[in-house]
Amino acid sequence: MTRSEFDDIRAHIDAEADRPGDLLRVARSLLSDLEDARMREAMLRAEHLRLLTAARATAAAEAAGRANPLSYITEELARQGQLPATEVEVDQILLDVRTATTLLTQLEQAPAPVTTGGGLRVRRCAGTSRTLPR
């Protein structure tokens, strides 16, 4: 859920505090969204682990002088449906890699954000019905 969706829910709760049925429905919806988010996170973590394992196996196979060391990563990418099938896809992937590398380099060279006072950042919320827990 986005921050504005949470803010909308908070506003709804504040406006409808005397209607427990509505609050129960909102709570169930939030729990369902939380379960979905946790499941997506678990799936992404598993996918990341498979890709990292395949990449490490590829590097180890090359270091050991094995034939076709790219087979580990190629098989994993094929399993995920991520292998390029056409020359156009190959060109697009290479272009995307160059662009991503350039953007990451610029991000790494960007100056650190300026903070004042050296303490915690003050969080501000706009709107009359939005408050932050203290």
Side-chain angles (χ1 to χ4, degrees):
M1 294 183 78
T2 64
R3 179 167 175 85
S4 69
E5 287 173 316
F6 281 114
D7 291 339
D8 291 343
I9 291 169
R10 281 189 193 96
H12 176 74
I13 289 171
D14 289 342
E16 305 288 335
D18 59 340
R19 299 167 107 178
D22 287 345
L23 295 178
L24 187 58
R25 191 168 39 255
V26 168
R28 285 187 178 131
S29 174
L30 288 173
L31 284 174
S32 177
D33 287 349
L34 182 60
E35 281 181 359
D36 292 344
R38 285 182 179 224
M39 185 57 102
R40 282 191 307 270
E41 179 188 9
M43 291 172 62
L44 286 171
R45 285 178 179 267
E47 184 176 298
H48 179 262
L49 180 59
R50 284 191 299 269
L51 286 169
L52 182 60
T53 301
R56 292 182 73 218
T58 298
E62 182 172 12
R66 301 270 171 87
N68 195 15
L70 289 177
S71 64
Y72 298 101
I73 196 75
T74 303
E75 288 171 13
E76 182 57 32
L77 290 173
R79 192 186 71 70
Q80 293 184 22
Q82 295 294 319
L83 278 179
T86 66
E87 181 93 18
V88 172
E89 289 178 5
V90 169
D91 292 341
Q92 185 61 53
I93 290 169
L94 294 174
L95 180 62
D96 290 347
V97 167
R98 282 193 298 272
T99 302
T101 302
T102 301
L103 290 173
L104 287 172
T105 301
Q106 289 177 356
L107 282 174
E108 290 169 353
Q109 294 174 353
V114 177
T115 57
T116 57
L120 295 174
R121 231 180 61 196
V122 177
R123 293 175 53 190
R124 294 187 180 130
C125 252
T128 58
S129 65
R130 298 178 184 167
T131 60
L132 292 174
R134 300 271 176 209

